[in-house]
Amino acid sequence: MINTEIKYIWKAFDELSSDELYAVIHLRQKVFIVEQDCPYIDADYTDQDAFHLLVYKNNDLIGYLRAFKPGIKYEGSSLGRIVTEINSRGLGIGKEITKEGVYFLSREFPNHEIIISAQHRLEHFYIDLGFSARGEVYLEDDIDHIQMYILPYQTS
C-alpha cells in the first residue's frame, strides 16, 4: 500500500539536510522563476533567518513556505515563498500551508501581526484566509504585489 498521507514538517535552517534544502530551492525555482517566467535571485540570504515548512506527499516535496520572526522582513512577523507544486494545486494545500504558517507564527509571536507580500492576483485567496490588504499595489520582481496582514490567531 502506498502512503499518500500529507506531512507538514517545520525546521530551522540549520536543521535542513542538504537534500531538503536542494528540494526547497528546486521547488521555488521551478514555480517562481520558470513557471512564472520571473528571473530574480531566490537565494536572498534570509533563508538562514527563517523557519521552513516542508510539505510532503509520498516523500515528494509538494509545498513550502518560510516564516520570519518580527523584525526580519517587517516590524511584525511574516510569511513568504508560499508555494505549491503544480501537480498538487486544487487540493487545498496552499490554504493549509498558509493556515499552518499563521498558526505557527501566532503561537511563537502572539503579539505581532503577520505580514505577507502577496502577488496581487492572489489577493482574494488571502482575503478568504482572513488577511487584509494594506497600501497600494507595487511592483516586486516585475510582478504586481500588495502587502497584506492578519492578526495572530488566539492559540491559548
Side-chain angles (χ1 to χ4, degrees), residues 121-139:
R121 68 182 179 84
L122 297 173
E123 180 177 3
H124 290 286
F125 171 85
Y126 292 110
I127 287 172
D128 289 347
L129 291 169
F131 283 84
S132 299
R134 174 167 49 211
E136 300 296 319
V137 174
Y138 54 91
L139 208 56

Side-chain angles (χ1 to χ4, degrees), residues 28 44 46-47 50-51 64-68 73 79-81:
R28 292 185 342 197
D44 62 357
T46 60
D47 286 316
F51 300 98
Y64 169 85
L65 70 69
R66 64 184 186 179
F68 294 95
K73 291 282 190 175
L79 298 173
R81 301 290 202 270

Side-chain angles (χ1 to χ4, degrees), residues 42-59:
D42 177 55
D44 62 357
Y45 288 100
T46 60
D47 286 316
Q48 294 89 331
D49 297 321
F51 300 98
H52 303 268
L53 177 61
L54 305 148
V55 182
Y56 290 97
K57 181 177 181 183
N58 298 330
N59 297 316

Side-chain angles (χ1 to χ4, degrees), residues 5-22:
E5 179 183 336
I6 295 175
K7 295 181 219 158
Y8 296 79
I9 301 167
W10 282 102
K11 291 195 172 191
F13 182 79
D14 61 2
E15 296 172 325
L16 293 170
S17 72
S18 56
D19 286 341
E20 289 170 327
L21 181 58
Y22 195 88

